[in-house]
Amino acid sequence: MKRPIVMLILMIVILSLLIGNLFKYHFFTVDRIIKQKEFISVTKDVITLLTIVLGAIFSYYRFFNGRTFSAKAEIEIEVTLIAKPGDKIMHALTVSIINIGTLSIWNPIAKVAVRDFNNNDEKYKEAVVEGFDKVNYHNEVGDRNFIINPGEKAHFMYWKEFDLATWAVTYVAEIKCANNRIWQKTITVANKIED
């Protein structure tokens, strides 16, 4: 049994024993109850009101607190591979954040960890890129502060070249907003341009 249910049963048992003892020691009698029916009616209404208020507060903390007033977002990652002269492949990484909540996301900062797998002696090497380029809706690249309102999307771009010895690349994108909420997504792509 869950703890709140056990507490409720315990409170009902204690209240029942208390009322039983009040009748046993003649504090409550049928005549007194009939004479004090208005007082009992008011007391019942006050107890009902307190129960409703306490239930509403409990419901808020149980179901809505931290969910209603928090930023919510989804991340999309897209990698485009472009052949370059000299046996190199350029990866153009676009990380998009979509605000799916009801609050604005203030000043998101993106970073990406890049892990490339190659045929050399080392199995992989990893680099973390802090604060890569923000792109606005007019495709202008620049460093600026911005807000993502509900229903809007923002894009971050990152470019990196790999030689043909690299056979796969893993990107771990992380976006952090001003209130320290963090979203992450990972993608692994083959370092090969499909014909």
Side-chain angles (χ1 to χ4, degrees):
M1 247 193 277
K2 293 186 176 180
R3 189 174 194 153
I5 296 172
V6 172
M7 294 297 289
L8 181 64
I9 292 171
L10 184 61
M11 287 174 46
I12 291 171
V13 168
I14 290 172
L15 189 60
S16 301
L17 291 173
L18 179 65
I19 292 171
N21 278 322
L22 290 175
F23 274 108
K24 179 180 177 183
Y25 294 109
H26 303 291
F27 185 76
F28 280 159
T29 61
V30 176
D31 293 335
R32 279 190 179 171
I33 292 174
I34 292 172
K35 288 179 186 175
Q36 300 291 330
K37 68 179 180 180
E38 289 180 14
F39 175 74
I40 292 173
S41 176
V42 169
T43 305
K44 179 188 73 95
D45 291 342
V46 168
I47 290 173
T48 302
L49 181 65
L50 286 175
T51 304
I52 290 171
V53 169
L54 290 175
I57 291 170
F58 175 76
S59 295
Y60 171 76
Y61 280 105
R62 177 73 174 100
F63 299 106
F64 297 109
N65 188 22
R67 297 179 187 171
T68 304
F69 302 112
S70 66
K72 297 178 182 101
E74 288 182 356
I75 294 181
E76 295 176 349
I77 299 178
E78 181 183 347
V79 181
T80 304
L81 279 64
I82 303 164
K84 288 191 71 180
D87 293 334
K88 296 254 183 197
I89 297 177
M90 184 175 82
H91 290 218
L93 175 72
T94 304
V95 178
S96 303
I97 179 169
I98 307 156
N99 186 347
I100 60 171
T102 57
L103 297 178
S104 296
I105 298 173
W106 290 78
N107 296 325
I109 298 172
K111 67 180 179 179
V112 65
V114 181
R115 177 179 289 181
D116 63 310
F117 300 89
N118 56 48
N119 294 327
N120 298 334
D121 290 339
E122 60 180 322
K123 294 196 186 282
Y124 65 86
K125 53 187 174 182
E126 186 172 338
V128 176
V129 178
E130 297 277 346
F132 54 103
D133 294 331
K134 304 170 192 172
V135 178
N136 69 13
Y137 298 106
H138 305 293
N139 294 325
E140 296 171 3
V141 176
D143 186 21
R144 60 185 176 88
N145 294 327
F146 67 98
I147 300 168
I148 307 169
N149 290 317
E152 292 184 347
K153 182 189 277 193
H155 307 284
F156 297 86
M157 296 293 297
Y158 173 71
W159 297 270
K160 187 164 177 70
E161 293 181 8
F162 296 96
D163 57 24
L164 296 180
T166 299
W167 48 272
V169 180
T170 297
Y171 295 99
V172 180
E174 176 181 291
I175 297 180
K176 182 178 181 181
C177 67
N179 65 356
N180 293 327
R181 185 78 195 266
I182 296 173
W183 298 275
Q184 292 181 330
K185 189 154 187 178
T186 303
I187 189 172
T188 300
V189 294
N191 188 37
K192 179 180 176 184
I193 297 177
E194 300 293 330
D195 293 328

